[in-house]
Amino acid sequence: MPKALVVVESPAKAKTINKYLGRDFKVVASMGHIRDLPKSKLGVDIDEGFEPVYEPIPARKKVIKELRDAARGVETIYVATDPDREGEAIGWHLANELGSKKRRVGRLLFNEITKKAVLAAFEEERTIDQNMVDAQQARRVLDRLVGYKLSPLLWDKVRRGLSAGRVQSVALKLVCDREDEIDRFVSEEYWHLFARLAGSVPPEFDAQVVKRGTSALKVTNEAEAKAVVADLEEAAFVVKTLATKERKKQAPPPFITSKLQQAARFPVKKTMMIAQQLYEGIELPGEGAVGLITYMRTDSPRVADQAIVDVRSHIHAKHGADFVPEKPRQFKTKSDAQDAHEAIRPTSMAYDPETVRPHLTRDQYSLYRLIWNRFVASQMSPALFDDTTLEVEAGDYLLRTKGSVQKFAGWLTLYQNDTETDGPDAEKDEGASSLLPQVAVGDTLELRKLDPQQKFTQPPPRFSEATLVKELEENGIGRPSTYAAIIGVLQTREYTEKVEGRFRPTRLGQLVVELLAKSFDDILAVDYTRGLEEQLDKIEEGSADYRTMLAGFYDKFSTDLGAAAEAMPNIKGEGLPSDEVCDKCGSPMVIKVGRFGVFLACSSYPDCTNTREIEQAEQPAADEEPDACENCGRPMVMKRGRFGQFLACSGYPECKTTRKLIETKGGLTAAKPDQLLDEKCPKCESNLVVKQGRFGEFTACSNYPKCRYVKLKSTGVACPKDGGDVVERKSKRGRTFYGCANYPDCDFVLWNRPLPEACPSCGSPYLVEKITKRSGHQVLCNKEDCDYSRTEEEEAAS
């Protein structure tokens, strides 16, 4: 029987750690939290100092029984949950549930899941940190108070099922404020003027007109631009100044959580999921499960001394002495950062990305390489550039251009030698050379061309997931571990929607913010939310009291809550007044909220049941005519149903024509009307029809849904399994693949396009076409034991 029980959070973590410990240890997983506040009630005793009332999570009751059974007979229980507030709180709950007078409970901490780190944790065993637990409890109680007090208010006044959260509401307000900025933005015209110049030797170069006299040049319309062009056509272009200086570009620090979320090419939630997999362990031949990266929830760029020694040795061996700086680089931690954990880095320099690539999924490899390169680069020598600034006089005008030539690649060599997109664009673009000709002060240059360029100021862009994380981080809202959950709630509650990958608030989201801002301006204020985060940090440090902090918050919150119950308009019953008039009876229209969002309803209900959609898709261009019904000619209007927005004929119920909306690069646009064809369906003999879907036009049976035939594009290749036609298909994400037309009876699929050409090497009935950034266009055999291939150049030559 084992003498000690080690409890971690996940089965993957348990599996990895179990291989490091002997038979005296048993490693089990708690599956995360085992106790929490009840869902059916507040679960906080406000009168008793905001004491939380915990109960077992229903889904974890079986796990708790298994943990208790595993704890019987052991001498010691070790809690080895994640090294952060949440992990400390889980450990505290486990200790309360499993500990006893006969069983000692110890706390193990490790920043990486490697044998060395796990065994070292036993040498530095400690007890549960009550300050960290109190900080987590304070956050949990704060969120519960706001969520369980504000949400019912919205149910009473607006619509059941809405929610308001302490942090999510601030994030939603940021999205709404950005949308307001975009709506208020007035674009202004401006012009940039460039001159194409040539010296006595190549190359030619472009210089921008930057000054007129002693003032910066500002050109706001075409007439002014033409006047400047006329002046320059008569001027002589003479070199005024020429200055060259060396510039160093240092590598960025290793990743913290928020920077990794911003740099990765995945949604925030997926990034954290993949990072968790890399942290908990990847199966490597001969070694078993190995944790490849350090703990992925951190806001400190600090790196362990031994890791710095190891990476400097790696750089010296792989790149040479010139790429190793004289002293290790140290990175400053932000004043409000929790410095308990290192930056995100590889656990060992032995596991370079290419070595472990065969054992990683495509996404795991991509993220691991991103982390690896960033960490290695952070301890490499800076890149060196010669920056040359050239100023040219032309009459009363001054022109300027800059050239940059890389002298030494330094850390940028990691990105320049990489054939795939791997790091921030700016890190690679800096290495590009911009050459200027050999000229001297006083040289006269030849004008080859004047290029006036009309520009317009642009509104601030909507937030993407990466830029929203950046905004939350810069404003001190939430913590890196909470960003994914915050973004997820905004979408699942339908407070925001994504247009071209960027967040736009729905009318419902805007309405919730408007209502809350009138009564709870502090809760929606960035500074106030940041202040609460700072108080939570102080509780963790032991310099603030958990109950005092909550009492101070609740005093004002409860007062505002009572005032809001009286002052907040009753949209659920009476609706909000609007400027619209009912087109059927002439009564005023009011704003209401239904199952499918915000809409306009006639105030004379139930005498008049007229309703109208209020939430619009992207506005059409000014010269676009509104869509007309193809059956009766009346205008189509926006409606919302259980599957989202759609267009419906304004003549309903006499005309029941509808048309779906599809998401394109320009936002939501109306699908084209179906086009009936003379061609018959091979399955049911009904006419085929051309439809427009999310990924373009396709041809299907008009008898849908009774007949689900879809005409697919043939490749001309016979399926090697059953002889059926191999056709082009689309995955749920829009990615093209190729499969047998007899699916689901036949499951033959290919990601690369098959070609109706026999392999000249092995006789296989088809070849495949493969296009990659590294190898370009290739034609190769799909059989694993055949190495036939040819490139595009070889194909053209033949």
Side-chain angles (χ1 to χ4, degrees):
M1 177 178 286
K3 295 179 181 179
L5 180 70
V6 179
V7 187
V8 296
E9 291 175 64
S10 74
K13 197 173 176 182
K15 182 180 177 182
T16 304
I17 294 174
N18 194 51
K19 295 182 179 182
Y20 301 150
L21 304 176
R23 61 179 62 185
D24 287 340
F25 294 88
K26 183 176 182 180
V27 187
V28 294
S30 72
M31 309 299 290
H33 280 278
I34 60 169
R35 299 194 308 183
D36 197 5
L37 301 175
K39 285 190 174 181
S40 59
K41 55 186 178 181
L42 182 64
V44 178
D45 193 334
I46 296 172
D47 297 330
E48 292 297 325
F50 300 92
E51 188 69 27
V53 181
Y54 296 110
E55 61 180 33
I57 297 172
R60 297 286 183 270
K61 286 183 177 180
K62 183 179 177 182
V63 174
I64 293 172
K65 183 180 182 303
E66 291 171 350
L67 291 172
R68 285 174 178 163
D69 291 342
R72 278 198 195 95
V74 302
E75 299 172 2
T76 308
I77 296 174
Y78 293 102
V79 174
T81 47
D82 287 346
D84 56 13
R85 284 179 194 164
E86 211 67 29
E88 202 74 14
I90 293 172
W92 179 74
H93 287 296
L94 287 167
N96 287 335
E97 195 71 37
L98 304 177
S100 70
K101 292 181 179 179
K102 295 181 180 179
R103 284 196 297 267
R104 184 173 61 84
V105 178
R107 175 76 165 112
L108 302 180
L109 284 175
F110 35 80
N111 196 48
E112 58 189 62
I113 304 179
T114 59
K115 186 172 184 179
K116 180 180 177 182
V118 170
L119 295 179
F122 283 91
E123 301 297 322
E124 300 175 4
E125 177 195 339
R126 65 168 178 79
T127 58
I128 298 289
D129 186 333
Q130 192 59 45
N131 288 334
M132 288 184 72
V133 174
D134 285 347
Q136 189 275 342
Q137 289 191 108
R139 176 189 292 279
R140 188 76 185 93
V141 171
L142 268 177
D143 292 343
R144 176 55 67 100
L145 290 173
V146 174
Y148 274 49
K149 295 287 187 179
L150 272 188
S151 297
L153 179 65
L154 293 177
W155 298 353
D156 290 340
K157 299 289 188 176
V158 186
R159 190 198 75 191
R160 190 165 184 83
L162 298 182
S163 74
R166 182 181 64 86
V167 180
Q168 87 180 45
S169 298
V170 186
L172 176 58
K173 188 171 187 299
L174 290 175
V175 175
C176 291
D177 287 349
R178 177 58 58 88
E179 195 69 18
D180 289 342
E181 287 183 64
I182 295 170
D183 291 341
R184 292 194 305 268
F185 183 82
V186 179
S187 183
E188 295 180 358
E189 180 183 4
Y190 68 99
W191 289 71
H192 282 165
L193 290 93
F194 294 90
R196 185 75 171 172
L197 302 172
S200 56
V201 294
E204 297 179 0
F205 63 96
D206 292 317
Q208 183 179 355
V209 185
V210 293
K211 282 186 177 182
R212 178 162 46 198
T214 58
S215 303
L217 180 67
K218 291 184 179 180
V219 179
T220 59
N221 55 58
E222 187 176 8
E224 292 178 6
K226 286 181 176 179
V228 175
V229 167
D231 291 344
L232 291 173
E233 286 175 341
E234 303 299 324
F237 292 80
V238 180
V239 177
K240 182 182 180 183
T241 63
L242 181 66
T244 300
K245 64 178 181 179
E246 184 181 81
R247 174 173 59 90
K248 290 183 180 180
K249 181 170 178 62
Q250 297 282 6
F255 281 123
I256 58 176
T257 305
S258 59
K259 299 303 182 193
L260 178 64
Q261 291 170 346
Q262 293 168 46
R265 299 194 299 269
F266 310 115
V268 171
K269 184 178 180 180
K270 184 176 180 180
T271 298
M272 296 307 292
M273 180 190 72
I274 298 170
Q276 183 95 25
Q277 295 165 357
L278 296 173
Y279 167 69
E280 291 184 342
I282 300 295
E283 290 287 337
L284 299 180
E287 297 186 64
V290 175
L292 293 182
I293 64 170
T294 54
Y295 190 56
M296 64 287 164
R297 293 186 180 92
T298 176
D299 50 7
S300 170
R302 178 178 57 82
V303 175
D305 293 340
Q306 186 58 51
I308 292 178
V309 172
D310 293 344
V311 72
R312 284 169 62 86
S313 298
H314 168 83
I315 295 166
H316 188 281
K318 188 171 180 66
H319 300 284
D322 290 344
F323 289 82
V324 184
E326 185 178 341
K327 294 181 180 179
R329 294 186 67 206
Q330 302 292 334
F331 299 97
K332 189 175 179 181
T333 301
K334 292 192 301 181
S335 58
D336 61 343
Q338 297 176 23
D339 196 39
H341 321 303
E342 287 186 64
I344 305 170
R345 62 168 176 82
T347 56
S348 170
M349 301 314 295
Y351 305 126
D352 69 87
E354 298 310 313
T355 299
V356 299
R357 184 173 190 173
H359 316 293
L360 302 177
T361 66
R362 180 179 178 181
D363 292 343
Q364 288 172 342
Y365 168 72
S366 176
L367 193 70
Y368 182 60
R369 185 181 60 182
L370 193 69
I371 293 167
W372 172 281
N373 282 353
R374 180 80 165 227
F375 174 62
V376 174
S378 71
Q379 290 297 330
M380 291 180 74
S381 300
L384 300 180
F385 300 87
D386 272 342
D387 286 349
T388 301
T389 301
L390 174 62
E391 291 186 336
V392 178
E393 256 184 344
D396 198 29
Y397 296 92
L398 181 72
L399 294 83
R400 184 179 295 136
T401 189
K402 292 183 179 181
S404 183
V405 177
Q406 187 183 92
K407 293 170 57 180
F408 175 64
W411 63 276
L412 284 172
T413 192
L414 290 177
Y415 299 99
Q416 291 170 349
N417 293 340
D418 202 340
T419 57
E420 297 184 39
T421 303
D422 187 34
D425 292 338
E427 291 177 2
K428 289 187 278 189
D429 292 342
E430 286 284 357
S433 296
S434 178
L435 297 176
L436 296 174
Q438 292 288 334
V439 294
V441 174
D443 284 359
T444 299
L445 304 173
E446 182 182 347
L447 174 65
R448 294 289 173 86
K449 179 185 176 184
L450 286 170
D451 181 21
Q453 298 180 3
Q454 184 185 35
K455 307 278 186 179
F456 293 92
T457 55
Q458 298 296 315
R462 292 183 176 121
F463 291 113
S464 63
E465 287 203 12
T467 56
L468 184 54
V469 165
K470 184 179 181 182
E471 189 78 7
L472 293 172
E473 178 193 23
E474 289 179 349
N475 285 289
I477 299 170
R479 280 286 177 243
S481 58
T482 65
Y483 295 152
I486 293 168
I487 290 171
V489 168
L490 294 184
Q491 295 177 86
T492 57
R493 296 295 181 185
E494 296 186 352
Y495 290 158
T496 65
E497 58 189 0
K498 277 192 173 180
V499 177
E500 295 182 352
R502 293 182 176 270
F503 292 106
R504 180 179 68 179
T506 62
R507 186 68 188 93
L508 178 61
Q510 290 174 317
L511 181 61
V512 168
V513 166
E514 289 168 13
L515 293 173
L516 293 179
K518 292 177 181 177
S519 301
F520 303 96
D521 55 338
D522 53 350
I523 287 182
L524 294 186
V526 168
D527 291 343
Y528 183 77
T529 306
R530 184 193 300 121
L532 289 177
E533 296 291 347
E534 291 169 356
Q535 290 185 59
L536 292 172
D537 292 341
K538 289 179 180 179
I539 292 172
E540 181 175 337
E541 295 164 3
S543 59
D545 179 65
Y546 153 78
R547 289 172 175 79
T548 303
M549 178 261 193
L550 288 173
F553 165 81
Y554 193 71
D555 283 347
K556 184 177 188 308
F557 177 65
S558 59
T559 302
D560 291 343
L561 199 64
E566 297 293 329
M568 189 176 287
N570 186 2
I571 300 175
K572 195 173 184 179
E574 302 165 4
L576 275 180
S578 78
D579 296 330
E580 301 290 326
V581 175
C582 178
D583 52 354
K584 291 190 176 181
C585 73
S587 300
M589 300 287 279
V590 293
I591 297 171
K592 290 207 167 189
V593 179
R595 288 176 59 200
F596 308 122
V598 183
F599 64 98
L600 288 170
C602 183
S603 59
S604 294
Y605 178 87
D607 296 330
C608 178
T609 59
N610 186 27
T611 62
R612 194 185 308 157
E613 180 72 21
I614 193 174
E615 192 165 3
Q616 300 292 323
E618 294 290 334
Q619 292 298 314
D623 57 350
E624 283 186 13
E625 292 292 330
D627 287 305
C629 174
E630 59 267 26
N631 291 322
C632 71
R634 282 177 281 200
M636 302 290 281
V637 294
M638 197 78 68
K639 296 284 187 181
R640 179 179 288 274
R642 59 183 297 198
F643 301 115
Q645 290 178 303
F646 65 96
L647 288 178
C649 181
S650 58
Y652 179 87
E654 291 83 8
C655 179
K656 297 182 179 180
T657 303
T658 61
R659 198 183 303 165
K660 66 182 178 181
L661 293 169
I662 56 176
E663 187 173 336
T664 64
K665 289 186 177 181
L668 288 175
T669 58
K672 295 177 182 177
D674 293 348
Q675 301 173 34
L676 199 65
L677 303 177
D678 292 333
E679 186 179 353
K680 299 293 184 181
C681 171
K683 288 192 174 182
C684 72
E685 291 299 315
S686 299
N687 286 65
L688 295 181
V689 64
V690 177
K691 292 178 172 285
Q692 186 176 14
R694 183 179 175 189
F695 304 114
E697 290 185 344
F698 65 98
T699 303
C701 182
S702 59
N703 198 24
Y704 178 88
K706 290 183 179 179
C707 178
R708 295 177 178 270
Y709 172 77
V710 176
K711 185 178 180 181
L712 299 170
K713 186 177 179 181
S714 174
T715 62
V717 172
C719 174
K721 284 191 173 183
D722 68 356
D725 193 14
V726 177
V727 295
E728 184 178 305
R729 294 181 176 274
K730 293 280 187 182
S731 70
K732 289 182 179 180
R733 295 180 178 271
R735 185 179 175 188
T736 300
F737 71 99
Y738 306 89
C740 182
N742 294 329
Y743 176 85
D745 297 328
C746 178
D747 60 359
F748 174 75
V749 292
L750 291 168
W751 282 114
N752 297 314
R753 176 185 289 277
L755 303 175
E757 176 185 346
C759 175
S761 178
C762 72
S764 173
Y766 68 94
L767 298 173
V768 295
E769 180 183 59
K770 188 175 183 180
I771 302 173
T772 63
K773 290 182 180 179
R774 182 175 299 177
S775 306
H777 183 281
Q778 285 182 300
V779 175
L780 59 156
C781 185
N782 196 50
K783 283 192 173 182
E784 291 184 3
D785 56 352
C786 180
D787 58 0
Y788 174 78
S789 68
R790 67 173 185 261
T791 63
E792 191 174 28
E793 291 79 9
E794 293 169 340
E795 196 171 359
S798 62

